[in-house]
């Protein structure tokens, strides 16, 4: 790789992006208190919140104008994801947005109805992580509330549909996971085949990694804030615990990781929008680093509240449990590392 | 947001080409060999050749010895210098901090000729900050300066004065009022290092970089070499220190790196490139290419994540991240490559130009340069997270001689 490229490193948000950030920050803060997150357990879905999110235009903003969307790019969607993560909101924002964008990208008239239903939020879409194999069930993120799952089967990209979603499987992150036996589902629509299919799927997977990274950034930042406030009022041996380096330094490391993870995720989003060929490893880097940041950050944030941080009643528990519960859905970080390594090799070859 | 290539005008493109060709000719193998041997972070031939064109501090106006470069042209120059070798240019960066204070606080008739010599590459200024019994707590300086008429007598010693042996001046922190609280009793001087009573001794570090201990024994300095007011040294220092701790925060349309630790991360980047090239042309024990070994792919991927994190983490946080990432990954890359990764530059059978062998040694110093990572974590705790200051016994001490 060229270490001294004359590129800009401009992370400043333009006015529209700043408005998106503020609007969705306000929305989730007002509409999604932690009580709603708790009430929505164990499935991790609130129909009421979903309906409000649809009213905000969240399900249309990322769709192209040709199908009635607003044509927003990944940068805006990543900003929304940060705020969604900050609230650990019980809605399938990431799965739904990346899958509906993938369908729109296929430019296939047979999909018009499902795209319209996805745009108005009446039909929730999900993305499978692994290719479809006979006799193999898959845990599908948002699979307990989605009626349609997009998956690769051989060299085809296929949308599998069911009349009702399969039963929810309780899980650590309280997300709407469900087992789908995609291979045996009769109701299917071929979205694309060959190179086009792979390109659309890869892009959707990249988008999911970037939006998950952004969500984990927001998630970790909120958890950090809870613990910072705690350490400013908690005393030991007559001093505030936040004045102790054994407490303050881990907190600064979380803040440092968050600041970097946020910038990488936003940068990866920008590259997907404007220069997707040049840095194909960025979405995976964004996800791995954000997952690492969230795993370590929420663990430390919980731990620095001592026994209190270990209790279910403390909101930090919601954040700790979802750091893995959300991060794992986009794939094993070590597998992503190998993929990043391959890109490094091709950059010097 | 914008991460695109910077569009260059025909004029700037020509300048970029001119700089690239000039530097390629200037950075001859003997420049690298000399740096490898001396670890001085300096090369007289390179500095004077750049200075002669106004290219050492090119954003200065022409009449001050610069070339009147725009921010973009300055960025082009920085990147082209990094393309050659950042190590030799270290003392340029060091000098730029005191130069800012000299410009701001010394009268023009004294400052201008000194700054011109610096811009011409004939004078270098090192930092006389740390002392033998204290490192990053520089406000605790004990080197004494005592006034006698127009002259000051300086006594004491300074540690980690990198570049003292090739510098013309040192930007010296002295104690002028031992009775005052520690931040209010210091005064800054620009001390010519050829003065009588100055002794410079080499300290070798295992990065290969040379630093120094400097002894001051009744060194006589004229009052005109004082920078800023008597006992006002903390204010004078703060300008350059703030600059040192915050370079890159201003986004400048994306022409500046956001991370303070970019120069550390570039060393990691060079190591990644070197290991990747090694993997592509090396076979493992079973005859397969190392490039297909998942162990290699995962380690390269992991190093790449930390490289990107170092480059993208903003401000002083980026300085901590770049150092931590380099320390961790340089060790892991060396493990990956095995014993051959221990061979230095130009060794028989060595890898590339010895970047990973160097990186592992260099990495350790990055946790200390310009203030330890712990100092930076303290800054982040207070300024980013708003945590309260620890009430440490030495925080507000009065200097020796004053009882409570």
């Amino acid at each position: 790789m060229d270490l001294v490229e004359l590129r800009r490193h401009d992370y400043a948000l333009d006015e529209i992006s700043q408005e998106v950030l503020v609007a969705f920050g306000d929305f989730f803060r007002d509409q999604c208190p932690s009580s709603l997150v708790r009430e929505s357990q164990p499935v991790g879905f609130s129909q009421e919140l979903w309906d409000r999110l649809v009213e905000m235009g969240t399900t249309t903003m990322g769709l192209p104008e040709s199908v009635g969307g607003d044509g927003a790019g990944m940068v805006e969607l990543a900003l929304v994801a940060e705020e969604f993560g900050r609230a650990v909101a019980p809605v399938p924002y990431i799965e739904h947005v990346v899958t509906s964008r993938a369908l729109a990208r296929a430019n296939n008239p047979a999909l018009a109805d499902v795209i319209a239903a996805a745009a108005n939020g009446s039909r929730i879409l999900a993305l499978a992580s692994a290719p479809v194999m006979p006799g193999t069930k898959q845990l599908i993120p948002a699979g307990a509330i989605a009626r349609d799952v997009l998956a690769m089967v051989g060299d085809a990209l296929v949308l599998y549909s069911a009349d009702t979603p399969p039963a929810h499987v309780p899980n650590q992150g309280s997300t709407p996971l469900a087992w789908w036996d995609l291979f045996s589902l009769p109701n299917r629509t071929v979205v694309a085949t060959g190179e086009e299919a792979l390109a659309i799927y890869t892009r959707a997977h990249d988008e999911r990694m970037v939006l998950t990274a952004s969500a984990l950034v927001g998630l970790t930042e909120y958890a950090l804030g809870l613990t910072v406030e705690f350490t400013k009022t908690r005393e030991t041996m007559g001093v505030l615990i936040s004045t102790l380096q054994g407490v303050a330094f881990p907190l600064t490391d979380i803040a440092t990781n968050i600041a970097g993870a946020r910038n990488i995720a936003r940068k990866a989003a920008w590259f997907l929008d404007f220069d997707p060929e040049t840095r194909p490893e960025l979405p995976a880097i964004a996800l791995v680093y954000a997952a690492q940041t969230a795993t370590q950050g929420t663990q430390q944030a919980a731990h620095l509240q001592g026994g209190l941080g270990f209790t279910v009643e403390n909101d930090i528990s919601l954040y700790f449990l979802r750091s893995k519960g959300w991060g794992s859905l986009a794939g094993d970080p070590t597998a992503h590392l190998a993929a990043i390594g391959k890109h490094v090799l091709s950059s010097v070859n | 947001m914008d991460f695109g290539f910077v569009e260059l005008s025909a004029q700037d493109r020509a300048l970029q080409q001119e700089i690239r060709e000039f530097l390629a000719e200037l950075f001859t193998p003997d420049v690298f060999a000399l740096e490898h041997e001396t670890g001085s972070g300096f090369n007289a031939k390179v500095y004077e050749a750049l200075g002669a064109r106004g290219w050492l501090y090119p954003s200065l106006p022409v009449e001050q010895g610069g070339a009147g470069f725009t921010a973009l042209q300055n960025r082009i120059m920085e990147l082209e210098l990094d393309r050659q070798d950042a190590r030799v240019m270290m003392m340029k960066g060091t000098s730029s901090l005191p130069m800012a204070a000299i410009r701001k606080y010394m009268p023009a008739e004294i400052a201008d000729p000194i700054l011109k010599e610096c811009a011409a590459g004939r004078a270098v200024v090192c930092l006389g900050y740390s002392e033998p019994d204290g490192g990053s707590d520089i406000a605790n300086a004990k080197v004494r300066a005592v006034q006698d008429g127009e002259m000051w007598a300086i006594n004491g010693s300074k540690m980690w004065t990198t570049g003292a042996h090739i510098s013309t001046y040192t930007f010296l922190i002295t104690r002028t009022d031992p009775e005052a609280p520690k931040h209010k009793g210091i005064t800054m001087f620009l001390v010519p290092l050829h003065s009588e009573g100055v002794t410079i001794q080499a300290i070798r570090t295992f990065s290969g970089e040379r630093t120094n201990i400097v002894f001051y024994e009744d060194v006589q300095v004229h009052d005109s070499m004082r920078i800023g007011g008597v006992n006002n040294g903390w204010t004078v220092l703060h300008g350059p220190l703030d600059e040192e701790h915050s370079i890159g925060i201003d986004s400048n349309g994306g022409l500046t790196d956001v991370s303070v630790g970019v120069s550390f991360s570039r060393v990691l980047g060079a190591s990644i490139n070197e290991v990747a090239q090694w993997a592509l042309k090396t076979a493992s024990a079973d005859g397969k290419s190392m490039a297909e070994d998942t162990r290699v792919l995962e380690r390269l991927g992991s190093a790449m994540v930390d490289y990107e994190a170092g480059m993208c983490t903003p401000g002083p946080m980026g300085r901590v991240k770049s150092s931590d990432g380099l320390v961790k990954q340089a060790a892991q890359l060396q493990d990956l490559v095995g014993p051959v990764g221990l061979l230095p530059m130009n060794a028989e059978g060595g890898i590339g130009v010895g970047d990973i062998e160097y990186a592992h040694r260099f990495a350790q110093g990055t946790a200390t340069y310009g203030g330890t990572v712990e100092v930076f974590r303290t800054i982040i705790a207070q300024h980013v997270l708003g945590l309260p200051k620890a009430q440490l016994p030495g925080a507000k001490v009065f200097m020796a001689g004053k009882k409570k």
Side-chain angles (χ1 to χ4, degrees):
Chain A
M1 58 180 156
D2 185 355
L3 301 174
V4 290
E5 276 182 340
L6 187 52
R7 279 184 182 271
R8 294 190 189 274
H9 303 277
D10 185 1
Y11 293 88
L13 297 177
D14 62 23
E15 220 168 288
I16 294 174
S17 299
Q18 283 181 32
E19 281 168 15
V20 167
L21 197 60
V22 171
F24 280 89
D26 290 347
F27 172 84
F28 283 111
R29 199 166 36 253
D30 296 345
Q31 305 293 330
C32 186
S34 64
S35 55
L36 179 73
V37 177
R38 289 175 183 278
E39 285 159 22
S40 307
Q41 296 184 133
V43 177
F45 179 63
S46 161
Q47 183 69 48
E48 208 185 332
L49 183 65
W50 180 248
D51 291 343
R52 292 204 186 117
L53 206 58
V54 172
E55 275 169 40
M56 277 281 283
T58 320
T59 47
T60 48
M61 72 181 281
L63 288 173
E65 284 157 17
S66 57
V67 297
D70 304 318
M74 282 297 292
V75 170
E76 280 81 19
L77 297 177
L79 297 175
V80 175
E82 253 179 72
E83 298 310 313
F84 152 76
R86 197 181 305 280
V88 287
V91 283
Y93 167 72
I94 295 173
E95 291 80 9
H96 185 78
V97 166
V98 301
T99 312
S100 47
R101 280 164 63 86
L103 294 187
R105 203 166 279 121
N107 212 6
N108 180 342
L111 299 168
D113 287 350
V114 68
I115 292 173
N120 69 30
S122 60
R123 209 157 151 172
I124 290 170
L125 310 183
L127 184 69
S129 299
V132 177
M133 305 285 272
T136 308
K137 285 183 178 180
Q138 273 195 60
L139 270 179
I140 302 290
I145 49 172
R147 277 183 50 204
D148 307 273
V149 175
L150 185 64
M152 288 296 290
V153 52
D155 69 348
L157 185 63
V158 174
L159 187 71
Y160 293 87
S161 303
D163 295 335
T164 51
H168 174 247
V169 191
N171 60 86
Q172 192 179 93
S174 291
T175 59
L177 281 178
W179 289 106
W180 282 63
D181 182 3
L182 294 168
F183 191 80
S184 67
L185 276 183
N187 190 352
R188 57 185 73 175
T189 313
V190 175
V191 173
T193 55
E195 274 179 29
E196 191 197 5
L198 188 63
I200 293 173
Y201 181 77
T202 305
R203 171 76 189 205
H205 184 55
D206 283 348
E207 292 190 355
R208 172 158 69 185
M209 289 197 281
V210 170
L211 295 186
T212 302
S214 289
L216 290 171
V217 166
L219 180 156
T220 314
E221 193 162 51
Y222 191 86
L224 172 65
L226 290 176
T227 299
V228 164
E229 285 316 306
F230 176 84
T231 64
K232 282 180 178 172
T233 53
R234 181 83 173 182
E235 291 191 358
T236 187
M237 314 272 179
V239 295
L240 288 172
I241 63 170
S242 49
T243 62
L244 304 175
Q245 291 180 338
V247 171
F249 284 9
L251 292 174
T252 66
D253 287 345
I254 302 171
T256 298
N257 291 343
I258 290 168
R262 180 190 343 265
N263 274 358
I264 297 176
R266 290 181 181 178
K267 179 175 168 179
W270 185 93
F271 269 86
L272 279 179
D273 281 341
F274 299 105
D275 195 1
E277 308 290 320
T278 321
R279 297 287 312 274
E281 77 284 14
L282 270 178
I285 292 178
L287 178 70
V288 170
Y289 193 60
Q292 207 172 292
T293 296
T295 302
Q296 294 168 2
T298 58
Q299 183 274 328
Q300 285 285 301
H303 172 67
L304 290 169
Q305 295 197 35
L308 297 172
F310 195 41
T311 62
V312 171
E313 142 185 0
N314 189 330
D315 277 353
I316 200 88
S317 66
L318 301 174
Y319 286 81
F320 171 76
L321 293 171
R322 279 159 187 76
S323 68
K324 235 358 140 193
W326 289 13
S328 301
L329 301 181
D332 173 14
T334 307
H336 291 309
L337 288 183
I340 297 163
K342 273 188 191 149
H343 286 297
V344 171
L345 289 175
S346 61
S347 78
V348 297
N349 207 355
Chain B
M1 281 169 80
D2 188 357
F3 301 94
F5 282 108
V6 180
E7 294 277 340
L8 292 184
S9 64
Q11 190 195 347
D12 284 345
R13 190 165 295 284
L15 178 70
Q16 183 186 43
Q17 195 55 36
E18 188 189 350
I19 290 172
R20 193 171 293 176
E21 284 165 15
F22 180 77
L23 296 184
E25 215 164 289
L26 184 60
F27 281 79
T28 48
D30 63 289
V31 170
F32 300 107
L34 187 64
E35 181 57 30
H36 189 65
E37 185 190 324
T38 63
S40 292
F42 171 77
N43 185 291
K45 178 186 90 172
V46 169
Y47 280 50
E48 285 177 35
L50 286 167
R53 289 181 158 235
W55 282 3
L56 192 55
Y57 299 97
S59 54
L60 292 178
V62 176
E63 59 276 14
Q64 289 179 29
F69 273 16
T70 62
L72 174 56
Q73 291 167 337
N74 197 46
R75 177 69 173 167
I76 290 170
M77 175 59 90
E78 279 175 12
L79 290 178
E80 291 304 324
L81 280 171
D82 279 341
R83 192 186 293 284
Q84 294 300 329
D85 187 351
R87 285 177 238 180
V88 170
M89 300 315 297
M90 181 183 66
M91 288 309 298
K92 171 202 167 177
T94 302
S95 294
S96 67
L97 301 172
M99 282 168 71
I102 294 166
R103 189 174 301 115
K104 188 166 176 185
Y105 292 104
M106 289 180 108
E109 67 271 20
I110 307 270
D112 287 353
I114 293 172
L115 292 171
K116 268 195 179 158
E117 284 294 291
C118 289
R122 289 188 294 265
V124 170
V125 188
C126 58
L127 308 180
Y129 287 2
S130 297
E131 297 188 3
D133 60 353
S136 297
D137 180 15
I138 59 172
N140 200 23
K142 295 189 174 70
V143 164
R144 273 293 261 142
V146 177
Q147 190 166 19
D148 181 9
E150 286 188 342
M151 300 303 286
W152 292 79
I154 296 178
N155 279 286
S157 48
K158 290 283 178 185
M159 191 82 172
W160 318 125
T161 309
T162 304
H165 61 296
I166 51 88
S167 294
T168 323
Y169 303 99
T170 185
F171 184 53
L172 194 73
I173 304 179
T174 67
R175 174 72 43 200
T176 38
D177 184 356
E179 307 292 318
K182 65 177 185 177
H183 291 86
K184 293 181 178 166
I186 59 183
T187 303
M188 298 303 300
F189 287 93
L190 190 66
V191 178
L193 283 166
H194 57 72
S195 304
E196 208 172 311
V198 173
T199 311
I200 299 169
Q201 270 179 20
I203 300 171
R204 290 284 168 183
T205 67
F206 53 66
S207 73
E209 181 187 307
R210 174 189 166 154
T211 184
N212 303 285
I213 182 163
V214 183
F215 301 96
Y216 300 85
E217 204 180 338
D218 264 330
V219 177
Q220 298 295 308
V221 177
H222 194 265
D223 189 53
S224 62
M225 298 305 273
R226 177 168 46 78
I227 309 178
V230 174
N231 295 330
N232 198 29
W234 193 244
T235 309
V236 176
L237 252 178
H238 237 275
L241 256 192
D242 284 348
E243 206 178 319
E244 185 176 11
H245 286 189
S246 70
I247 293 165
I249 279 181
D250 174 18
S251 80
N252 194 16
L255 284 179
T256 325
D257 296 298
V258 292
S259 167
V260 175
V262 161
S263 61
F264 305 160
S265 288
R266 285 223 174 88
V267 173
L268 176 57
S271 299
I272 292 171
N273 277 342
E274 193 165 79
V275 172
Q277 273 150 359
W278 164 84
L280 286 167
K281 59 185 186 200
T282 306
S284 64
D286 60 4
K288 278 190 189 161
S289 167
M290 278 292 190
E292 287 162 31
D293 189 331
T294 49
R295 194 175 59 99
V296 173
L297 295 174
E298 286 170 11
R299 298 270 187 98
L300 280 174
S302 168
M304 189 64 193
V305 170
D306 277 340
Y307 167 73
E308 197 66 43
M311 297 297 285
C312 296
T313 305
M317 294 193 279
R319 181 252 182 280
V320 174
K321 181 45 72 179
S322 288
S323 177
D324 285 357
L326 177 61
V327 167
K328 175 180 148 201
Q329 296 295 346
Q332 294 205 355
L333 289 175
Q334 216 167 25
D335 287 345
L336 173 64
V337 168
V340 76
L342 303 170
L343 303 184
M345 185 166 93
N346 297 330
E348 186 193 343
I351 297 179
V353 293
D355 276 333
I356 57 167
E357 191 279 320
Y358 168 70
H360 180 55
R361 291 181 288 114
F362 170 74
Q364 315 311 316
T366 66
T368 302
Y369 294 148
T372 65
V373 285
E374 288 74 21
V375 169
F376 277 82
R377 284 189 168 95
T378 304
I379 293 171
I380 295 162
Q382 287 167 17
H383 297 282
V384 177
L385 294 178
L387 299 183
K389 246 183 174 169
Q391 295 303 312
L392 299 175
K396 282 181 182 152
V397 292
F398 289 76
M399 298 309 293
K402 175 133 180 174
K403 301 271 182 274
K404 276 192 268 192

